[in-house]
């Protein structure tokens, strides 16, 4: 799960790092379907020659122009934009664990597994890397992986058990010096050893682990497994030699990455000759698409006017669908005055979420009920509204909360305590006008409750840096779920007291104990019950607040295949290209 509805390419999103961070952008749709005759969005999206109202997407369908390899041309270049490139290229690390880096890793790093369907009912292993997986025993749980004999890393290192071992050692939590987004699942493992050959991996667990099928994606190159290299060795360095995929990195700067076919790739040849990823913020990316400089805008188009502009481009297709994201606000409990629970609670009580979401989806009629969870989507079995009952929007209650905590209203209309005015800041990124409007609306809401709030705007390129250094007080972003079972590890990732992805910086041992139970049972109902109980306790600390469940809106030049909104369904990067 991560910030500003940054769109993802339909390559497999690593399951072990269950949620990836994205900028907190908005997105919308119109639900006045069929006025000009269209009642259903085609699988390839809506051609821009169609000027009528857009029909709502189907939550069960994919809109990525799915095509077989036989129907995709050999060759060609695909040029796309992302708002952030780096700086930390290690997706397995906490600093690099963003939806943007997941997209980049998908081209040149191993994609070990994928889902066939939108709802992700069945997990499949990629035979280019893993030829078979066998559960050797249940008590204790022992799993055997047989690896593809042809698989090698770009530097010539054999693709074998050593990568699995290095990944476990980095993500297990046993060495606290590793900065990782989650240890869930890896903390259940007793050993990772060679089987009959180095190409056979035997993983032995010391306790039950419901997430075992999702582990080892992403996979760490054995030479990148020491603490110093893992944490900082990838900063401004994508390490092409540590890749193993259908593409290689030909060049990389802070403004552009060029991928070309990997001559060392042993699988099916990539359909595309080249993929160019340019760093552009939202407005620049849309302008570049209109001018023919890029082939798609995959970072979610986030306003009615932007959608209108995208639909004005001839020979294009608008593809949109339900996302696997949740937009949230995080409240930095290590910063004054948000270090006081009463202040965080008052901020939430002063926050008019309905008005905020009207601004977010202004003019687009997308009806997004406030979600009550950052772990389970509202359409998933086991979903429950875990928002604290006393945190509902009520400006007068916000004032009462502050007054009970010793704050007094000043002549300037703001509360103060011990002679110091109550003041917080709201941080947002980029040049999107809707983001600025949301920041200003939040500021106005706080003023009504007697809380002074300043807005702080940064360039999108500073997003990872600001988040990693916790240089924020109120921070909007989005978490992107990468698997229907993401909640099993996302719970600890988002809420555990010692997790680097706990951006509210709150928690306690009691909640940690609840979180530890979630992935240790194989019963789905028990898993969701534990998750809901833990999340309910965590949200009562007011370190984070789920705000909305946004859609994905993307636009492509007509005929680009196997890319677009598709829920949990995945397409390997070697199959993307231009339709015949």
């Amino acid at each position: 799960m991560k910030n500003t509805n940054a769109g993802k390419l339909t390559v497999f999103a690593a399951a072990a790092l269950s949620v990836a961070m994205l900028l907190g952008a908005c997105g919308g749709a119109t639900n006045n379907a069929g006025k000009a005759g269209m009642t259903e969005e085609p699988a390839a999206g809506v051609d821009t020659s169609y000027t009528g109202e857009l029909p709502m997407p189907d939550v069960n369908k994919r809109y990525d122009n799915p095509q077989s390899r036989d129907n995709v041309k050999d060759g060609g270049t695909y040029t796309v934009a992302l708002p952030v490139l780096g700086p930390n290229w290690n997706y397995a690390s906490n600093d690099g664990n963003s939806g943007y880096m997941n997209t980049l890793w998908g081209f040149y790093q191993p994609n070990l597994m994928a889902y066939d369907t939108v709802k992700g009912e069945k997990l499949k292993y990629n035979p280019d890397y893993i030829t078979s997986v066998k559960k050797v025993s249940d008590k204790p749980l022992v799993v055997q992986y047989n690896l593809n004999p042809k698989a090698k890393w770009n530097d010539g290192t054999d693709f074998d058990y050593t990568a699995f071992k290095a990944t476990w050692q980095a993500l297990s939590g046993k060495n606290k010096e590793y900065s990782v987004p989650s240890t869930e699942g890896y903390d259940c493992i007793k050993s990772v050893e060679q089987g009959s050959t180095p190409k056979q991996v035997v993983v032995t667990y010391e306790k039950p682990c419901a997430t075992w099928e999702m582990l080892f994606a992403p996979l760490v190159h054995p030479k990148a497994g020491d603490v110093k290299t893992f944490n900082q060795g990838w900063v401004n360095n994508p390490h092409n030699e540590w890749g193993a995929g259908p593409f290689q990195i030909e060049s990389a700067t802070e403004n552009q990455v060029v991928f070309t076919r990997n001559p060392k790739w042993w699988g099916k040849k990539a359909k595309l000759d080249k993929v160019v990823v340019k760093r552009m913020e939202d407005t620049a990316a849309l302008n570049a698409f209109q001018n023919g400089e890029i082939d798609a805008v995959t970072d979610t188009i986030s306003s009615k006017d932007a959608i209108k502009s995208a639909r004005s481009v001839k020979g294009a297709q608008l593809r949109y669908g339900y996302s696997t994201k949740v937009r949230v606000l995080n409240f930095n409990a290590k910063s004054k005055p948000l270090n006081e629970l009463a202040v965080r609670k008052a901020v939430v009580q002063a926050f008019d979420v309905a008005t905020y979401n009207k601004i977010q989806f202004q003019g687009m009629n997308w009806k997004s009920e406030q979600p009550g969870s950052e772990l389970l989507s509202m359409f998933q079995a086991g979903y429950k509204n875990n928002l604290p009952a006393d945190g509902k929007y009520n400006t007068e209650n916000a004032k009462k909360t502050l007054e009970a905590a010793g704050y007094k209203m000043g002549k300037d209309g703001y509360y103060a305590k011990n002679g110091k005015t109550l003041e917080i800041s709201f941080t947002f990124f980029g040049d999107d006008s809707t983001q600025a409007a949301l920041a200003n609306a939040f500021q106005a809401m706080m003023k009504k409750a007697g809380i002074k709030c300043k807005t702080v705007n940064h360039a999108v390129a500073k997003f990872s840096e600001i988040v990693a250094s916790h240089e924020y007080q109120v921070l909007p972003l989005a978490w992107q779920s990468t698997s229907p079972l993401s909640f099993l590890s996302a719970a600890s990732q988002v809420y555990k007291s010692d997790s680097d992805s706990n951006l509210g910086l709150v928690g306690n041992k009691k909640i940690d104990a609840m979180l530890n139970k979630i992935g240790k049972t194989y019963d789905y109902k028990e898993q969701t019950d534990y998750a809901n109980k833990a999340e309910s306790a965590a949200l009562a600390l007011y370190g984070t607040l789920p705000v909305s469940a946004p859609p994905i809106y993307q636009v492509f030049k007509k005929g680009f295949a196997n890319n677009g909104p598709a829920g949990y369904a995945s397409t390997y990067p070697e199959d993307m290209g231009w339709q015949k």
Side-chain angles (χ1 to χ4, degrees):
M1 304 176 177
K2 295 184 179 173
N3 217 332
T4 305
N5 287 337
K8 67 181 179 71
L9 303 181
T10 50
V11 294
F12 179 65
L17 304 183
S18 59
V19 290
M21 184 169 45
L22 301 166
L23 285 163
C26 53
T30 172
N31 61 3
N32 299 317
K35 283 190 177 180
M38 183 176 287
T39 58
E40 183 178 355
E41 180 186 354
V46 176
D47 284 2
T48 51
S49 59
Y50 172 75
T51 58
E53 296 290 349
L54 298 173
M56 281 290 285
D58 187 326
V59 72
N60 297 304
K61 293 184 178 180
R62 57 193 298 171
Y63 300 101
D64 57 344
N65 190 21
Q67 300 290 332
S68 67
R69 281 180 60 87
D70 292 341
N71 204 31
V72 179
K73 296 177 184 177
D74 289 317
T77 297
Y78 172 60
T79 304
V80 68
L82 285 180
V84 179
L85 301 179
N88 191 330
W89 276 76
N90 183 7
Y91 178 62
S93 73
N94 188 63
D95 290 353
N97 180 228
S98 73
Y100 313 111
M101 190 51 61
N102 178 55
T103 293
L104 296 170
W105 262 46
F107 288 108
Y108 81 113
Q109 292 288 345
N111 288 294
L112 297 190
M113 54 194 79
Y115 293 97
D116 281 330
T117 62
V118 171
K119 290 193 175 180
E121 288 91 348
K122 187 177 181 181
L123 183 71
K124 64 177 183 180
Y125 291 96
N126 186 344
D128 285 329
Y129 301 97
I130 299 175
T131 56
S132 66
V133 177
K134 182 172 71 173
K135 193 192 291 187
V136 177
S137 68
D138 285 311
K139 294 182 180 180
L141 176 62
V142 179
V143 181
Q144 177 182 298
Y145 298 83
N146 292 310
L147 308 182
N148 191 316
K150 297 179 181 179
K152 287 184 181 294
W153 298 92
N154 289 344
D155 66 356
T157 301
D158 209 12
F159 188 88
D160 62 14
Y161 81 98
T162 58
F164 286 71
K165 191 165 189 174
T167 302
W168 164 57
Q169 289 173 337
L171 299 176
S172 67
K174 290 181 171 61
N175 186 340
K176 301 298 183 183
E177 291 186 25
Y178 285 99
S179 177
V180 298
S182 175
T183 62
E184 179 63 41
Y186 297 100
D187 60 354
C188 301
I189 295 174
K190 179 181 180 180
S191 66
V192 177
E193 301 295 343
Q194 173 184 319
S196 59
T197 73
K199 284 286 190 178
Q200 189 175 83
V201 189
V202 178
V203 181
T204 302
Y205 292 77
E206 58 188 359
K207 51 182 117 173
C209 181
T211 57
W212 72 266
E213 288 182 297
M214 301 163 59
L215 302 185
F216 303 107
L219 204 63
V220 177
H221 190 292
K223 293 180 183 178
D226 64 279
V227 172
K228 184 177 179 181
T229 304
F230 184 91
N231 290 347
Q232 293 297 321
W234 296 74
V235 175
N236 297 319
N237 188 345
H239 285 290
N240 179 67
E241 75 278 13
W242 293 341
F247 290 92
Q248 64 178 354
I249 294 179
E250 182 180 86
S251 62
T253 68
E254 63 178 7
N255 293 315
Q256 179 174 286
V257 182
V258 178
F259 297 94
T260 55
R261 283 177 177 151
N262 187 356
K264 298 178 180 179
W265 174 241
W266 57 92
K268 294 176 182 176
K269 185 174 73 172
K271 286 291 184 177
L272 290 165
D273 291 318
K274 183 185 293 187
V275 176
V276 180
V277 184
K278 296 177 179 286
R279 184 174 69 82
M280 294 181 180
E281 295 189 18
D282 296 349
T283 302
L286 188 54
N287 289 339
F289 181 75
Q290 290 177 298
N291 295 332
E293 298 171 33
I294 61 176
D295 299 316
V297 179
T298 58
D299 199 40
T300 299
I301 301 169
S302 57
S303 71
K304 180 182 180 182
D305 290 340
I307 292 174
K308 184 178 179 181
S309 296
R311 295 183 72 186
S312 72
V313 179
K314 293 181 180 179
Q317 293 168 319
L318 187 71
R319 300 174 185 173
Y320 57 97
Y322 292 85
S323 75
T324 60
K325 301 171 187 172
V326 58
R327 290 199 66 220
V328 307
L329 293 180
N330 291 284
F331 309 103
N332 186 345
K334 297 294 185 183
S335 67
K336 294 181 179 180
L338 291 175
N339 60 321
E340 294 184 56
L341 174 61
V343 172
R344 300 195 302 274
K345 179 178 177 180
V347 169
V348 171
Q349 290 174 320
F351 176 60
D352 183 355
V353 66
T355 296
Y356 190 87
N357 284 336
K358 282 180 183 177
I359 295 169
Q360 181 186 176
F361 303 118
Q362 187 174 12
M364 296 179 285
N365 298 323
W366 183 269
K367 307 300 182 185
S368 176
E369 175 187 341
Q370 181 185 14
S373 174
E374 297 180 18
L375 303 178
L376 289 156
S377 298
M378 288 184 281
F379 55 80
Q380 279 188 263
Y383 166 82
K384 183 181 177 183
N385 188 331
N386 295 316
L387 294 171
D390 58 358
K392 293 179 180 178
Y393 168 60
N394 188 307
T395 302
E396 292 306 310
N397 284 348
K399 292 179 178 180
K400 291 176 182 177
T401 297
L402 291 173
E403 289 165 4
Y407 285 88
K408 294 182 179 180
M409 180 65 77
K411 294 180 180 180
D412 60 356
Y414 295 110
Y415 280 98
K417 186 163 69 171
N418 299 325
K420 190 169 184 178
T421 299
L422 178 59
E423 182 176 1
I424 62 174
S425 63
F426 182 99
T427 297
F428 68 106
F429 299 84
D431 58 3
D432 182 78
S433 60
T434 302
Q435 291 302 298
L438 291 171
N440 292 334
F442 184 88
Q443 183 182 52
M445 294 169 193
M446 295 302 107
K447 185 176 182 179
K448 287 182 181 178
I451 302 170
K452 193 172 186 178
C453 179
K454 66 178 180 179
T455 61
V456 180
N457 180 234
H458 292 288
V460 170
K462 290 186 67 76
F463 169 63
S464 296
E465 176 187 336
I466 296 296
V467 173
S469 60
H470 304 299
E471 293 178 18
Y472 58 84
Q473 288 200 304
V474 181
L475 178 72
L477 53 75
W479 290 115
Q480 176 180 299
S481 172
T482 57
S483 159
L485 295 177
S486 281
F487 73 92
L488 292 174
S489 50
S492 291
Q493 183 178 343
V494 175
Y495 295 122
K496 211 162 191 181
S497 61
D498 61 353
S499 170
D500 288 335
S501 293
N502 181 341
L503 300 181
L505 304 176
V506 294
N508 56 52
K509 291 182 178 179
K510 184 177 179 181
I511 294 174
D512 290 348
M514 296 183 204
L515 294 166
N516 287 336
K517 295 179 180 180
I518 299 170
K520 307 304 184 288
T521 175
Y522 297 103
D523 181 86
Y524 183 82
K525 186 179 184 305
E526 288 184 354
Q527 291 167 350
T528 56
D529 285 347
Y530 285 140
N532 286 319
K533 185 177 180 181
E535 184 172 49
S536 180
L539 291 179
L541 297 180
Y542 295 99
T544 184
L545 178 73
V547 174
S548 64
I552 291 178
Y553 267 69
Q554 301 173 337
V555 64
F556 294 80
K557 284 185 181 177
K558 190 172 182 177
F560 193 72
N562 298 322
N563 201 341
Y568 294 115
S570 311
T571 299
Y572 294 126
E574 60 265 35
D575 296 334
M576 295 192 321
W578 298 98
Q579 186 176 344
K580 289 180 180 178

